[in-house]
Amino acid sequence: MLRTYAAALEASFRAKGRGRPKLKRRKDSLPSLEYTVNGFSVRDGRLCLPKGISIPVVWSRELPPAPRSVRVYRDNLGTGTARSS
């Protein structure tokens, strides 16, 4: 069973446009924080975090219900961005 899984995994990485996952180096990755339902709210198109922090929201996809978690990270320009998950 493990050999079959390994063969299937290898074949999936040979598909066009895909490759093996790469590990993020700590010094190259952007800092991020994840908040769950109790740690944030969305009001007037802005994400409200504890301590009175309010940032604009960039949805990663269309959401039918309210988001259950969000990830806030610093982009290349040094500004905060939020994405839901």
Side-chain angles (χ1 to χ4, degrees):
M1 186 163 85
L2 287 176
R3 283 189 201 125
T4 306
Y5 172 72
L9 187 65
E10 275 301 316
S12 72
F13 292 130
R14 282 190 229 123
K16 184 177 180 178
R18 299 183 84 185
R20 284 222 167 259
K22 293 185 173 93
L23 295 174
K24 284 171 79 174
R25 291 183 355 173
R26 190 176 197 182
K27 66 180 183 179
D28 293 338
S29 63
L30 300 170
S32 65
L33 296 170
E34 187 160 350
Y35 292 92
T36 56
V37 177
N38 295 331
F40 72 93
S41 64
V42 179
R43 285 185 240 138
D44 300 327
R46 296 184 69 82
L47 181 69
C48 299
L49 300 172
K51 303 283 185 179
I53 299 170
S54 175
I55 59 174
V57 178
V58 177
W59 298 114
S60 57
R61 58 186 162 80
E62 289 297 320
L63 300 175
R68 292 177 299 181
S69 65
V70 294
R71 179 168 296 236
V72 179
Y73 66 95
R74 188 182 315 169
D75 59 9
N76 293 332
L77 300 174
T79 59
T81 307
R83 299 221 184 245
S84 69
S85 44

